[in-house]
């Protein structure tokens, strides 16, 4: 990322015979690797990035081992990660009421101060009732718990109508909102819960590494328009591929 910015800045100063025959500048592997060596990144900063990812994503055992091996201290108590992951797993498995109780045990102000999150949890609870075929219970729950919130918030009302529409179709595959019963909906709600808990603990709700990767992809795309250079195409190995000239 830092390297790509440097090359973007210095492209005009690159004097390569190959570039004369092409509309793009050509950066050789030797030049690229030399610039890589010139970029100084502290090991401590890299360790903090790794710890940030482990903590945010909830890998408590890995975070503890990394703390011991690298000497990098997490910015939150690692014990709270276990509690947060229990809440997340409860939502992912469809045990919404259990998740709500655990959230309140962790910090009762989270749901009190985040009506959208509480609504989405209640909506997820309705979805689970429909999934289980508890139609009468689902209708009663929607009427008593969700309908009053829909009267106060138009966006909530639209979400309620989409969810209740699942009851109209015998085969939810024919329902335009059938994706609400997909596992992805549970994951979406669980991710929102995870972010809210992290925010309540004064921690970033998203890990930094994925954002850096997105920035790297964007930078490479910008650089592609101006130069041929050793590119990273496989981000799992970060191997440099020689430019095609």
């Amino acid at each position: 990322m830092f390297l790509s910015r440097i090359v973007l800045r210095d492209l005009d100063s690159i004097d390569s015979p190959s570039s004369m025959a092409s509309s793009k500048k050509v950066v050789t592997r030797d030049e690229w690797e030399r610039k890589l060596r010139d970029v100084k990144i502290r090991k401590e900063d890299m360790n903090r990035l790794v710890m940030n990812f482990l903590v945010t994503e909830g890998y408590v055992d890995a975070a503890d081992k990394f703390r011991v091996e690298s000497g990098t201290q997490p910015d939150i108590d690692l014990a709270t990660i276990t509690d947060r992951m229990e809440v997340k797993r409860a939502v992912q498995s469809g045990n919404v009421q259990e998740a709500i109780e655990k959230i309140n045990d962790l910090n009762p102000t989270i749901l009190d101060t985040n009506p959208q999150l509480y609504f989405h949890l209640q909506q997820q609870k309705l979805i689970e009732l429909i999934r289980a075929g508890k139609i009468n219970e689902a209708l009663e729950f929607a009427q008593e718990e969700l309908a009053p919130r829909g009267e106060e918030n138009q966006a909530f009302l639209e979400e309620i109508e989409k969810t209740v529409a699942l009851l109209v179709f015998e085969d939810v595959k024919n329902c335009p909102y059938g994706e609400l019963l997909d596992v992805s909906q549970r994951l979406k709600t669980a991710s929102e819960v995870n972010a809210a808990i992290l925010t309540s603990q004064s921690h970033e709700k998203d890990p930094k590494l994925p954002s850096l990767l997105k920035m790297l992809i964007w930078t490479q795309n910008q650089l592609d328009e101006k130069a041929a250079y050793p590119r990273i195409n496989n981000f799992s190995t970060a191997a440099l591929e020689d430019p095609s000239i």
Side-chain angles (χ1 to χ4, degrees):
M1 195 166 44
F2 300 104
L3 175 59
S4 298
R5 288 177 178 174
I6 290 173
V7 174
L8 280 168
R9 184 191 64 197
D10 295 343
L11 273 176
D12 290 337
S13 65
I14 295 175
D15 185 13
S16 169
S18 300
S19 66
M20 300 298 183
S22 171
S23 60
K24 291 184 178 181
K25 299 286 187 179
V26 176
V27 184
T28 66
R29 179 177 285 269
D30 287 342
E31 288 176 297
W32 194 258
E33 291 181 344
R34 174 174 56 80
K35 288 179 178 293
L36 270 177
R37 290 191 295 270
D38 290 340
V39 177
K40 306 301 180 184
I41 302 176
R42 297 192 310 162
K43 186 176 181 180
E44 293 83 357
D45 293 333
M46 295 300 296
N47 286 344
R48 280 198 291 270
L49 273 176
V50 173
M51 180 61 80
N52 171 267
F53 178 82
L54 296 175
V55 168
T56 305
E57 292 299 305
Y59 299 112
V60 60
D61 291 338
D64 191 40
K65 290 178 181 178
F66 188 69
R67 175 187 62 81
V68 174
E69 293 174 1
S70 68
T72 305
Q73 296 301 317
D75 55 4
I76 64 173
D77 183 354
L78 291 182
T80 64
I81 298 179
T82 301
D83 296 331
R84 174 162 53 88
M85 289 300 100
E86 287 180 358
V87 175
K88 189 174 180 179
R89 281 192 291 270
V91 178
Q92 290 173 337
S93 61
N95 298 320
V96 180
Q97 186 57 40
E98 177 186 342
I100 291 174
E101 292 171 1
K102 288 182 178 296
I103 293 172
N104 286 330
D105 288 341
L106 273 175
N107 185 345
T109 66
I110 293 176
L111 297 181
D112 289 341
T113 58
N114 196 332
Q116 179 170 288
L117 174 62
Y118 185 65
F119 170 78
H120 285 155
L121 283 167
Q122 295 291 72
Q123 180 189 24
Q124 190 65 47
K125 189 174 181 178
L126 175 60
I127 292 170
E128 300 304 335
L129 289 172
I130 296 172
R131 189 196 309 276
K134 299 179 179 179
I135 307 305
N136 291 334
E137 189 174 344
L139 287 171
E140 182 179 351
F141 182 79
Q143 182 65 31
E144 294 182 359
E145 299 295 334
L146 292 178
R149 299 182 182 279
E151 293 174 359
E152 301 171 356
N153 187 304
Q154 180 62 32
F156 290 173
L157 179 60
E158 292 175 1
E159 290 299 317
I160 294 169
E161 291 173 346
K162 290 178 182 178
T163 308
V164 173
L166 294 171
L167 296 169
V168 177
F169 294 82
E170 292 184 7
D171 186 354
V172 293
K173 293 180 181 178
N174 297 323
C175 178
Y177 310 115
E179 71 276 2
L180 291 173
L181 290 172
D182 290 344
V183 174
S184 60
Q185 179 65 25
R186 284 181 176 178
L187 298 179
K188 179 181 177 181
T189 305
S191 178
E192 186 178 357
V193 169
N194 186 61
I197 295 174
L198 284 168
T199 300
S200 74
Q201 296 170 342
S202 300
H203 190 280
E204 299 99 334
K205 62 180 181 179
D206 297 309
K208 295 177 180 178
L209 274 175
S211 297
L212 291 174
L213 282 175
K214 290 177 182 178
M215 192 177 296
L216 173 59
I217 293 170
W218 179 87
T219 305
Q220 286 195 151
N221 289 338
Q222 296 296 308
L223 189 56
D224 286 343
E225 299 176 2
K226 299 183 178 181
Y229 62 97
R231 204 177 194 280
I232 297 176
N233 291 319
N234 187 334
F235 293 100
S236 62
T237 63
L240 292 174
E241 297 185 9
D242 287 327
S244 56
I245 304 174

